[in-house]
Amino acid sequence: MKKTEKLIVAILTITLGILLIAFQENVVKTAVVAVGVGFIALAFLDFINKSLPLAIVKAVCGVVIILFGLFAVRAVLYLISAILLIAGILLLYERLKSRNYCETLYERVISYALPTLCILIGILFLFNGGNEVTWVFVVGGIFVVVEGALVLVDAVLAD
């Protein structure tokens, strides 16, 4: 990733963490609805460009995503936790497999902290247990803020 992309990702990640701490489950609903609206907007653009089959598929996907975001938040949380667990495990496996030796302790911490935080956040959301547990979102938000801070520090210190 380029430095500017890392900065943007870091800022968005920190913002998401703060929103998770402040608004808990409502952030998930809002984010999923925003993705659904994005799909509907893309469908509208395809409709304007006279690509009707693609527009219909995107519109249906957008409506389904919005309905999931409003009525099946638990399922969305389980899906997000599964994605985070898989991504974190794959990133950690890649780090261990490459045997990329880091020159400094900071590089080693950054190298292993990001996949570890993905796994921890995934486990937290997985153990939500189908109940509205605010501490899960607060602790998950804190981990997301820490992850964003690590990406921000990495982006600022990178050459």
Side-chain angles (χ1 to χ4, degrees), residues 16-36:
L16 177 64
I18 292 169
L19 290 174
L20 274 171
I21 293 168
F23 299 112
Q24 287 94 27
E25 192 170 319
N26 292 330
V27 172
V28 177
K29 289 180 184 177
T30 305
V32 172
V33 169
V35 169

Side-chain angles (χ1 to χ4, degrees), residues 17-159:
I18 292 169
L19 290 174
L20 274 171
I21 293 168
F23 299 112
Q24 287 94 27
E25 192 170 319
N26 292 330
V27 172
V28 177
K29 289 180 184 177
T30 305
V32 172
V33 169
V35 169
V37 169
F39 267 92
I40 292 173
L42 291 173
F44 183 70
L45 291 175
D46 285 339
F47 180 76
I48 290 174
N49 292 330
K50 298 180 181 177
S51 178
L52 292 178
L54 195 56
I56 291 171
V57 169
K58 287 181 183 177
V60 169
C61 286
V63 169
V64 169
I65 289 171
I66 289 172
L67 291 176
F68 262 105
L70 295 176
F71 300 114
V73 177
R74 304 285 182 246
V76 171
L77 279 175
Y78 288 131
L79 183 64
I80 290 171
S81 68
I83 290 169
L84 283 170
L85 280 170
I86 292 169
I89 290 169
L90 288 175
L91 284 170
L92 189 61
Y93 173 74
E94 189 63 34
R95 295 288 196 307
L96 292 172
K97 182 181 166 189
S98 69
R99 299 196 191 271
N100 188 5
Y101 295 103
C102 303
E103 293 180 14
T104 65
L105 178 63
Y106 166 75
E107 290 175 350
R108 188 172 299 142
V109 167
I110 291 291
S111 172
Y112 291 106
L114 295 178
T116 305
L117 284 172
C118 280
I119 293 170
L120 286 175
I121 295 166
I123 289 171
L124 272 176
F125 288 152
L126 185 65
F127 288 124
N128 189 13
N131 298 328
E132 190 171 332
V133 184
T134 56
W135 70 268
V136 170
F137 290 101
V138 172
V139 173
I142 291 169
F143 282 147
V144 171
V145 168
V146 169
E147 188 167 6
L150 287 172
V151 173
L152 182 65
V153 168
D154 187 42
V156 169
L157 296 179
D159 292 335

